[in-house]
Amino acid sequence: MQNVAHSPATRNATEETGQMPVLFGGDTRTETADGAAEQQPQGPDFERIQGSGEFVALRSRLRRFVFPMSLLFFAWYLAYVLLAAYAHDFMSTKLFGHVNIAMVFGILQFASTIAITVAYVRFANHRIDPQVEDIRVRAGVTE
């Protein structure tokens, strides 16, 4: 189980009641015409979640990782393709034996893909998933 960082407001509510407050769920009771309370199925209030500061911060944090990493990888891939297409002499330079620069760059494409995947998984596990779990708990989602 991961430790989830809570905002001061939710931390105080958690300490007082022992439970995380459900702040993003709808009211489960509605009054009928005769004044009796009727139970309605409760679900997350997606509009409140989307407008919350926690969700906005989560999206911003994710974008600050994903967009630069995607642009970096795209630039690296484009450079490889352009070098292969237009710099034949450079790419065919032998490094040792039958191994040339093009082969090394091709293998580095796979290595960089794996490195980006590993970096994203670590980032998501440490920086994204705890915030997602906090939002899910506050929305009353237990799945």
Side-chain angles (χ1 to χ4, degrees):
M1 180 98 186
Q2 295 180 359
N3 290 334
V4 178
H6 303 291
S7 66
T10 59
R11 188 178 307 118
N12 291 340
T14 303
E15 290 169 359
E16 292 171 9
T17 64
Q19 295 180 351
M20 188 69 169
V22 177
L23 302 176
F24 296 132
D27 188 6
T28 60
R29 294 180 298 141
T30 57
E31 290 191 26
T32 60
D34 62 0
E38 182 178 289
Q39 288 289 90
Q40 295 291 324
Q42 180 179 356
D45 184 348
F46 294 110
E47 290 180 9
R48 279 184 70 190
I49 293 171
Q50 187 177 12
S52 71
E54 294 91 346
F55 188 76
V56 170
L58 174 66
R59 284 181 28 185
S60 176
R61 179 174 284 163
L62 182 63
R63 286 179 180 157
R64 282 193 313 265
F65 179 88
V66 170
F67 289 152
M69 193 63 70
S70 297
L71 288 173
L72 179 69
F73 182 77
F74 181 71
W76 160 234
Y77 178 75
L78 188 62
Y80 174 69
V81 170
L82 291 174
L83 286 170
Y86 298 108
H88 296 273
D89 292 337
F90 172 71
M91 294 296 270
S92 63
T93 302
K94 300 247 185 222
L95 296 175
F96 55 90
H98 294 290
V99 177
N100 59 22
I101 291 176
M103 290 176 164
V104 172
F105 280 9
I107 290 171
L108 287 175
Q109 287 290 314
F110 290 103
S112 63
T113 301
I114 292 167
I116 289 170
T117 302
V118 168
Y120 176 75
V121 168
R122 290 182 56 121
F123 172 78
N125 285 341
H126 297 326
R127 305 288 304 237
I128 300 296
D129 292 348
Q131 279 188 306
V132 169
E133 184 61 28
D134 186 30
I135 291 170
R136 290 179 68 149
V137 167
R138 293 181 63 207
V141 178
T142 58
E143 299 171 299

